[in-house]
């Protein structure tokens, strides 16, 4: 990998208001999405070639225009990327899967058989994504339809749809189990083929903002809370709560930005959680609460599919932080 803890991948235009970032395992491509601005620009989604010395982004393809992306996952082989979008007062076609040539391969609707949530205030509805470790399945959760859908990653064909979900989703490595957050702060786990309920666990959090299975499927991490908290579950449902060790480090977990930006991943060094609000961003170890990294306001981040690299936006552009090299 590298002995250095981080590497600048590419610089961005100062007017590019980052809404999502993602990279494949080999860091050969950078996906960068720009969010809506005050001049009625709803954003765009770009594939960029990493070049830290270039003053302007080295563009490979434009995936979408007049669209705000809020989540993205590369397939394990890095050949395609699936993007989840936010609806700023409008309709959505659901997550789309693209090749590295920028061509849309397919998309899938989330919970299209369910009506929109009557309690939705119409401000921002967004899709959250997950994929199985083997890359064969995609899952998408919607905050406005309150449903989760699992699709075949190669075709976009819908395999399972479940109601009473709020957005954050997770699939285990083989795609045999689906976990999703519920509106009351609980987490449900279902068997994928039949859809049968396996477990429902209480996190004790007002809302769950991110989920991730361990590589062996024996553990699940859920994240949320004003004092950033990771809830670690065993297969039997035993729960261990781990909060950031710094008692002064808090975020506003009620903000839409926090719900959109929070990520959980079972990394090469164990479970980790990234969360942010309008003023602060933090990455912490979900086993002991130790802070691994902090960023400024409106930071967005993600993890590579293999969980070895943390990708984050910053004032210089988009950087890769190698988790094994972090002190």
């Amino acid at each position: 990998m590298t002995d250095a803890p981080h590497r600048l991948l590419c610089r961005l235009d100062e007017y590019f208001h980052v809404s999502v970032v993602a990279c494949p395992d080999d860091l050969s491509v950078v996906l960068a999405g720009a969010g809506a601005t005050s001049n009625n620009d709803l954003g765009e989604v770009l594939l960029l070639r990493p070049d830290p010395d270039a003053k302007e982004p080295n563009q490979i393809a434009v995936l979408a225009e007049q669209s705000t992306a809020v989540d993205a996952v590369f397939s394990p082989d890095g050949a395609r990327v699936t993007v989840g979008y936010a609806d700023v007062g409008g309709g959505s076609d659901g997550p789309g899967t693209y090749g590295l040539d920028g061509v849309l391969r397919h998309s899938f609707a989330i919970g299209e058989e369910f009506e929109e949530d009557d309690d939705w205030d119409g401000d921002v509805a967004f899709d959250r994504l997950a994929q199985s470790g083997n890359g064969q399945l995609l899952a998408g959760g919607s905050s406005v339809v309150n449903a989760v859908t699992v699709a075949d990653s190669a075709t976009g064909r819908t395999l399972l749809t479940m109601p009473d979900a709020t957005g954050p989703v997770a699939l285990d490595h083989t795609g045999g189990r689906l976990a999703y957050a519920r509106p009351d702060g609980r987490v449900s786990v279902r068997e994928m083929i039949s859809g049968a309920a396996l477990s429902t666990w209480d996190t004790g959090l007002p809302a769950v903002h991110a989920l991730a299975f361990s590589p062996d499927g024996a553990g699940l991490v859920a994240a949320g809370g004003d004092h950033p908290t990771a809830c670690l579950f065993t297969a039997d449902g035993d729960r261990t709560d781990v909060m950031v060790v710094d008692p002064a480090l808090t975020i506003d977990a009620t903000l839409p930005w926090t719900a959109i930006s929070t990520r959980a991943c079972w990394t090469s060094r164990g479970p980790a959680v990234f969360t942010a609000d309008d003023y602060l961003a933090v990455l912490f170890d979900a086993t002991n609460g130790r802070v691994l990294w902090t960023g400024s306001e409106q930071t967005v981040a993600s993890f590579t599919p293999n969980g070895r690299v943390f990708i984050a936006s910053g004032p210089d552009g988009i950087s890769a932080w190698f988790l094994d090299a972090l002190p």
Side-chain angles (χ1 to χ4, degrees):
M1 182 77 70
T2 179
D3 293 330
H6 78 281
R7 184 171 87 212
L8 179 65
L9 296 176
C10 62
R11 303 181 188 276
L12 297 172
D13 186 280
E14 61 178 314
Y15 300 107
F16 194 95
H17 301 280
V18 186
S19 62
V20 66
V21 295
C23 286
D25 289 337
D26 62 5
L27 307 181
S28 59
V29 181
V30 177
L31 180 141
T37 63
S38 58
N39 62 357
N40 296 322
D41 178 8
L42 295 181
E44 58 185 344
V45 187
L46 307 176
L47 284 182
L48 306 173
R49 197 175 309 283
D51 187 351
D53 298 323
K55 294 183 179 180
E56 298 292 334
N58 190 342
Q59 185 174 302
I60 299 172
V62 178
L63 302 188
E65 296 178 307
Q66 292 299 307
S67 300
T68 300
V70 294
D71 207 350
V73 291
F74 275 88
S75 59
D77 63 3
R80 60 183 183 270
V81 61
T82 302
V83 181
Y85 293 97
D87 297 337
V88 185
S92 172
D93 294 330
T97 297
Y98 304 81
L100 299 189
D101 55 4
V103 176
L104 177 66
R105 298 295 194 262
H106 57 75
S107 61
F108 65 95
I110 299 176
E112 59 184 344
E113 62 266 46
F114 301 110
E115 296 293 330
E116 292 185 353
D117 184 2
D118 292 336
D119 295 329
W120 179 53
D121 59 15
D123 289 336
V124 179
F126 58 89
D127 298 338
R128 291 295 302 274
L129 300 173
Q131 69 178 342
S132 58
N134 58 18
Q136 295 179 0
L137 300 180
L138 292 166
S142 169
S143 66
V144 60
V145 181
N146 276 355
V148 59
T149 292
V150 181
D152 185 294
S153 63
T155 64
R157 181 172 64 89
T158 295
L159 303 175
L160 177 70
T161 295
M162 298 303 304
D164 198 26
T166 58
V169 289
L171 289 162
D172 68 6
H173 181 79
T174 64
R177 287 181 297 159
L178 165 73
Y180 57 91
R182 300 178 63 162
D184 57 5
R186 293 184 298 166
V187 174
S188 286
V189 180
R190 290 186 176 270
E191 199 272 335
M192 250 304 300
I193 295 177
S194 66
L198 299 177
S199 306
T200 297
W201 299 323
D202 185 9
T203 65
L205 300 170
V208 175
H209 291 152
L211 293 167
F213 275 106
S214 62
D216 62 3
L220 179 76
V221 59
D226 292 328
H227 191 178
T229 302
C231 301
L232 301 177
F233 290 95
T234 67
D236 295 328
D238 294 331
R239 187 183 96 198
T240 301
D241 295 342
V242 179
M243 292 186 289
V244 170
V245 293
D246 183 355
L249 199 160
T250 61
I251 63 164
D252 187 347
T254 65
L255 294 176
W257 182 259
T258 304
I260 291 173
S261 65
T262 302
R263 300 287 184 270
C265 180
W266 222 281
T267 73
S268 56
R269 58 191 293 168
V273 170
F274 167 82
T275 189
D277 61 12
D278 289 345
Y279 305 100
L280 175 71
V282 60
L283 173 71
F284 68 96
D285 188 318
T287 62
N288 56 25
R290 188 165 58 89
V291 174
L292 302 175
W293 178 92
T294 58
S296 57
E297 71 279 1
Q298 296 289 303
T299 298
V300 297
S302 67
F303 298 89
T304 53
N306 62 10
R308 293 189 171 276
V309 185
F310 172 68
I311 311 297
S313 66
D316 295 330
I318 297 174
S319 296
W321 294 80
F322 301 96
L323 294 171
D324 287 341
L326 288 178

